[in-house]
Amino acid sequence: MDNIDLQILSILKENARMKASAIANEVNLSVSAVTERIKKLETSGIIEKYTLMVDQKKIGNDVSAVIEVAIEHPRYIDPFISLVGAIPNIISCYCVTGDYDFVLKVIIDSSEGLEQIYRMVKGFEGVKETKTYIILKNIKNEITLLPETANK
Amino acid sequence: MDNIDLQILSILKENARMKASAIANEVNLSVSAVTERIKKLETSGIIEKYTLMVDQKKIGNDVSAVIEVAIEHPRYIDPFISLVGAIPNIISCYCVTGDYDFVLKVIIDSSEGLEQIYRMVKGFEGVKETKTYIILKNIKNEITLLPETANK
Amino acid sequence: MDNIDLQILSILKENARMKASAIANEVNLSVSAVTERIKKLETSGIIEKYTLMVDQKKIGNDVSAVIEVAIEHPRYIDPFISLVGAIPNIISCYCVTGDYDFVLKVIIDSSEGLEQIYRMVKGFEGVKETKTYIILKNIKNEITLLPETANK
Amino acid sequence: MDNIDLQILSILKENARMKASAIANEVNLSVSAVTERIKKLETSGIIEKYTLMVDQKKIGNDVSAVIEVAIEHPRYIDPFISLVGAIPNIISCYCVTGDYDFVLKVIIDSSEGLEQIYRMVKGFEGVKETKTYIILKNIKNEITLLPETANK
Amino acid sequence: MDNIDLQILSILKENARMKASAIANEVNLSVSAVTERIKKLETSGIIEKYTLMVDQKKIGNDVSAVIEVAIEHPRYIDPFISLVGAIPNIISCYCVTGDYDFVLKVIIDSSEGLEQIYRMVKGFEGVKETKTYIILKNIKNEITLLPETANK
Amino acid sequence: MDNIDLQILSILKENARMKASAIANEVNLSVSAVTERIKKLETSGIIEKYTLMVDQKKIGNDVSAVIEVAIEHPRYIDPFISLVGAIPNIISCYCVTGDYDFVLKVIIDSSEGLEQIYRMVKGFEGVKETKTYIILKNIKNEITLLPETANK
Amino acid sequence: MDNIDLQILSILKENARMKASAIANEVNLSVSAVTERIKKLETSGIIEKYTLMVDQKKIGNDVSAVIEVAIEHPRYIDPFISLVGAIPNIISCYCVTGDYDFVLKVIIDSSEGLEQIYRMVKGFEGVKETKTYIILKNIKNEITLLPETANK
Amino acid sequence: MDNIDLQILSILKENARMKASAIANEVNLSVSAVTERIKKLETSGIIEKYTLMVDQKKIGNDVSAVIEVAIEHPRYIDPFISLVGAIPNIISCYCVTGDYDFVLKVIIDSSEGLEQIYRMVKGFEGVKETKTYIILKNIKNEITLLPETANK
């Protein structure tokens, strides 16, 4: 992966729908060279997915929260992970060091909805302790970090 | 925003690079109708950005962490927010209720790099307390939640 | 609900026993207009109840405390709520985010009485953890907040 | 204070606007006897105030929270108390034992409003630490406890 | 109980073996008056016990510790109390508010001995959590507080 | 120190005012032998003090509490110790390991009095954090532990 | 054990492979005297073991962590100790006072490996709570402390 | 580094003073081959040091403790590290994630000595918080972990 690959990734990070021809223009390559490079980045697994970010409040998701979860015994960890996978409102889940095992992020329409999710998570077998924070404001919300040279 | 809009959002969430014609096919509309709807979703601010997800390990970012931060006095909150904005390795930052004021997610190449970021954050004026968790595994890592009907 | 409604609510907040005629005087309306407005505020459910505040120490309730309660599993939440409802000394109970599920306020005659209540709460099925604070002084003890314009 | 006084208090607790004549009926006394007893309860300071309870959501107060506050040094306690007194959205404030000095209850229109109050409280001179819980549901919300015999 | 009683208590607090005659001298009363007053203080239960304080290190008790104990369910509180009563090395035990139920003080000959006591306490039925502090130094170690006038 | 010394200590622990002749009787020694042994226990510093235990509630001390104190910097430790020494209501003070530096026991007449002591302690220079527990009940309150053989 | 013994220990601490003759030179004794002294230090049990320190990163052990463990009931302490003994990656284990029972140090090749060890420890019978810290840097890593005079 | 190197390391780990000839015997190589391999392990930096383990109690170090330290601001981290380096009784020091910055292990002759070290550490500029645990027992105390194949 060379610097031109990084430039392409950087462009796609800011606008994943940009046409290959426009990208080609910016990086001073032919369209087919760009297309090939993108394909390689995809098949090598570096690019996992093209997706979009939505203004959650505008589609009615007013409440978001962080839930920290401690599990009682490691035998509950894998079942916990599959349950988390099945609830779309839990949009992210990290397995962490510290006194909790997982940090979840939840997006939902209302306090009532949050209480439902909270009860669901707390009710999973083997959940020992939870701690919930309401997110008052999203200051920054990226998902992709590229090496610095790519940002120039 | 009707159900077809939701279908379009849902398709773009899974593949933001899909051509308007392919989307048109899936939702049984003309290409121009789809293009117009997408434009409206963009101008109304519902769609914020098309972006990509990258396999962080494959580009050398081996370490990720959650840092919780408590601020000493509210006068430090706004300066803290701009400092956070200027560090690309802090990829997300939420202002929360509880005993901490912010939850940050950091992605970086190594333990040494994490220690640098940690010292930087701890050195921001007005930072009173921090708590750092290493992320051992990403179980789930979405950024967009769409209403359920859109997922069908 | 207009500004006059707010004035009426504000008057009743300070003295719920004030006669309609006296209220009418203060808001420059006829008695029947005031009576009608109060009725509407009642039937719409905005006014829930007229009640009184009593000097607890003067009727022998010397001790008050805050008890935070964490519940083991969500299946115990509803039974917990009904038990709380049945104990008059628990005068308020909020379901909260954080590391506890409920914040209770208890008023009672003595330390011995508090210990009884404490044992009762701790003995409810599914109570996992409790934390008790004695209230040394009531600094402020309102129950109703009205929009600011009403306070003028 | 005898049992009839308790009955009167109990009636007024449930409906502070009930007419003396209706109360007289219930307790089997003359209206003047009831009026006199009420006056005595008022002048002795047992009855502090007649007030009303309002459905906060119906007047636009969607968010309520508990804030625990620790003060740095006792010289900040009295100024803190006067500042609290001046903010109507802080509807109650207790001075407590434990690791915090005060427990506040806040009612406000929105998350943004809560953040404002939070910054204000955190910005008071001498505030060392705070911990905020969102109230997801009011299970019980009394303010007056009467001796048991009065409830019959 | 008058001021002379307080003087007598104060003298006995400093030297419980002082003879009635010597006390009589100090308080300017006859020996029989002093003897009678002491008897009354004993029979009324004000004086509970005359005891002695020993230099623990000099008799081989090198280690002392504070153990905080939380109990799982109130049904274990009374059995816990009797077990504590039966272990002489637990020299004091208070039932407290907060997140623990009991604060114990332990005196023992060695770290190994402390570990034994610790295991014993932790092994009592219903003990949920413990927290142990080693006492590095006794700064002050009174057991009796008398009203101030008595100290003059 | 032999077993007879321990017996004497044990007797004095239960009744520090017992006459030498009565003790002599119990341990089967002459009065002068007992007197001499007691003198040796005193001069060697094993016996520190004869004192009495008083029923605190009967002399108006209704409230007792444990206060844990953390100090900001070691330079405040010695001044803190002398301040503690000067307040009779702080009847014991231990320097401990853990997250706090000191554990104090306070006895006082009322909640108001406790609040005064609390403010005083919190106001000492260099006090960083405090945590206060009310003592609901004294389960056991010894100050002297003697080796087991002495208790037989 | 005299000062020359301490010098010998001090030399061996810095280089356990140093020949007896070289040591003899440094301490101005005959080789046989040195050999004899070393033998005595070994047979008396003062010297427990000669060992080596290895640069863990150079042999592929990239991750090290501290795990604090609380045990549910003392009956699990001895089994826990034997399990710990059987896992080479747990290179040290201390039984401590405080809110945890054990502090472990773990060395391992990767985050995945750490997660395995973590699950193993958490899965031991009777493990109630754990708290994991990643070691970002080894500042100092001695195992032997010798009296000061020995270091000169 | 091959398997024979690992065997040599493993032998030296158990007895760092073993002669090259004895090692040669065990691994079935010539003495010169073993000597050369050891030299290479040393010059490559894999072997950092040959050292010895001493029975601390036998040389009068009766007390050992873990101290967790949080630093106020990153500018105090480097000075803190050099101070730690200068105190021999702090035998290890790790920089960690979590709510503390450092975990220290202290070995010392007595409680009084520990209190001195504790005051010293707490008095270092920029030390914000400390938490001290006494080590009641060393369960395991290795410093070197070798890959598993080497242990066979």
Side-chain angles (χ1 to χ4, degrees), chain A residues 57-143:
Chain A
K57 300 241 162 161
K58 288 205 170 126
I59 60 168
N61 286 323
D62 281 344
V63 175
S64 54
V66 172
I67 307 182
E68 299 179 333
V69 178
I71 297 294
E72 215 175 295
H73 189 278
R75 72 173 157 269
Y76 300 116
I77 291 181
D78 291 333
F80 179 84
I81 289 174
S82 16
L83 286 162
V84 159
I87 302 178
N89 297 82
I90 300 175
I91 65 154
S92 66
C93 171
Y94 311 129
C95 171
V96 294
T97 62
D99 30 8
Y100 290 92
D101 293 297
F102 294 103
V103 175
L104 314 179
K105 185 179 170 188
V106 172
I107 297 183
I108 193 101
D109 56 345
S110 64
S111 296
E112 288 71 29
L114 177 62
E115 213 205 321
Q116 287 317 101
I117 295 287
Y118 169 67
R119 289 200 184 196
M120 213 182 289
V121 170
K122 207 180 162 95
F124 286 168
E125 211 189 346
V127 167
K128 194 181 62 175
E129 231 157 297
T130 65
K131 191 165 177 178
T132 306
Y133 305 124
I134 298 286
I135 296 179
L136 294 172
K137 226 191 267 184
N138 271 306
I139 306 302
K140 203 178 185 174
N141 196 20
E142 303 274 314
I143 39 160

Side-chain angles (χ1 to χ4, degrees), chain F residues 53-72:
Chain F
M53 295 176 76
V54 157
D55 183 325
Q56 295 295 343
K57 299 238 163 163
K58 288 205 171 125
I59 59 168
N61 287 322
D62 282 345
V63 174
S64 53
V66 172
I67 306 182
E68 298 180 332
V69 177
I71 297 292
E72 215 175 293

Side-chain angles (χ1 to χ4, degrees), chain D residues 57-72:
Chain D
K57 299 240 164 163
K58 287 203 170 129
I59 60 168
N61 286 322
D62 281 344
V63 175
S64 53
V66 172
I67 307 182
E68 298 179 332
V69 178
I71 296 293
E72 213 176 294

Side-chain angles (χ1 to χ4, degrees), chain G residues 3 5 12 15 44-45 49 53 59 68 82 110-111 117 123 126 129 132 137 140 143-145:
Chain G
N3 209 40
D5 283 345
L12 288 170
N15 181 6
S44 69
K49 194 182 182 175
M53 295 175 76
I59 59 168
E68 298 180 333
S82 17
S110 64
S111 295
I117 295 288
E129 231 156 297
T132 305
K137 227 193 268 187
K140 204 178 185 174
I143 39 158
T144 298
L145 175 73

Side-chain angles (χ1 to χ4, degrees), chain C residues 57-70:
Chain C
K57 300 238 162 165
K58 288 205 170 125
I59 59 168
N61 286 322
D62 281 345
V63 175
S64 54
V66 172
I67 306 181
E68 298 180 333
V69 178

Side-chain angles (χ1 to χ4, degrees), chain D residues 68-79:
Chain D
E68 298 179 332
V69 178
I71 296 293
E72 213 176 294
H73 188 278
R75 72 173 158 267
Y76 300 116
I77 291 182
D78 291 332

Side-chain angles (χ1 to χ4, degrees), chain B residues 29-47:
Chain B
L29 280 185
S30 72
V31 176
S32 66
V34 163
T35 310
E36 203 176 323
R37 277 171 178 269
I38 290 179
K39 188 136 295 169
K40 256 203 243 158
L41 290 165
E42 289 169 7
T43 54
S44 68
I46 289 177
I47 293 177

